[in-house]
Amino acid sequence: MNEENGAKRSEASERDESQMHEREEVYTKVVRAGNRTYFFDVKATRKNDLYLTITESKKRFNKDGKFFYEKHKIFLYKEDFEKFLNGFEDAVTFIKNNLPEQTDEPGDKEMPESEVSGEGTNEFINVEFEDLGDK
């Protein structure tokens, strides 16, 4: 095989891979919530069957101070949507019905003690300097 044919074949495989990736991602919704970001991605299988991935992404820091994103992903298939939605709604309803009276400002959230103090972890606490704003 000559070099020109190899380059054409490589270019074609890159284009096919790109088209496959484009076909796979159908819809994305990004939700920013405090120091977490949630991605709701609708994707298609090779047979064009749709499914949902939910990704939670949190910015974390290594011991050397460099950041990375910790990600957790859930895959939901259409046959499970109804059961998942029912379970989610039941859990949210339970939380709303069992919340103590809130006197905090809207948007104030308590973090679990282990996240606040860093107990049990060797990670730095995530401080967002952008949140300080201009005073």
Side-chain angles (χ1 to χ4, degrees):
M1 167 171 29
N2 67 28
E3 203 172 300
E4 186 178 322
N5 285 342
K8 285 182 182 177
R9 193 170 283 170
S10 175
E11 183 180 311
S13 67
E14 285 179 26
R15 187 177 57 246
D16 291 344
E17 188 175 311
S18 173
Q19 287 173 346
M20 183 182 77
H21 181 55
E22 288 174 16
R23 187 185 81 204
E24 185 177 294
E25 292 236 351
V26 177
Y27 173 83
T28 297
K29 173 70 177 175
V30 178
V31 177
R32 297 193 193 313
N35 65 347
R36 291 176 170 84
T37 302
Y38 298 98
F39 298 90
F40 296 87
D41 298 311
V42 177
K43 297 184 179 186
T45 65
R46 289 185 195 132
K47 295 181 180 180
N48 288 323
D49 204 11
L50 299 179
Y51 65 97
L52 174 67
T53 63
I54 302 172
T55 307
E56 174 199 42
S57 179
K58 294 187 282 188
K59 192 174 188 178
R60 298 289 192 188
F61 292 88
N62 291 328
K63 289 182 181 182
D64 63 2
K66 293 183 181 177
F67 74 89
F68 66 97
Y69 291 97
E70 180 181 273
K71 296 180 181 181
H72 301 98
K73 192 171 277 205
I74 297 172
F75 290 81
L76 287 172
Y77 300 94
K78 65 182 179 184
E79 61 268 17
D80 300 327
F81 289 171
E82 186 90 18
K83 290 177 184 174
F84 182 87
L85 190 56
N86 289 338
F88 181 81
E89 287 173 341
D90 288 349
V92 169
T93 298
F94 176 84
I95 291 169
K96 287 180 178 179
N97 291 337
N98 290 285
L99 281 175
E101 287 293 320
Q102 298 246 338
T103 57
D104 295 328
E105 299 263 331
D108 284 349
K109 295 180 185 175
E110 268 188 48
M111 273 200 251
E113 187 61 34
S114 62
E115 284 190 43
V116 173
S117 67
E119 288 177 27
T121 68
N122 292 326
E123 298 177 16
F124 289 92
I125 301 299
N126 185 12
V127 176
E128 298 289 337
F129 292 102
E130 296 85 23
D131 295 340
L132 298 177
D134 293 335
K135 302 266 179 185

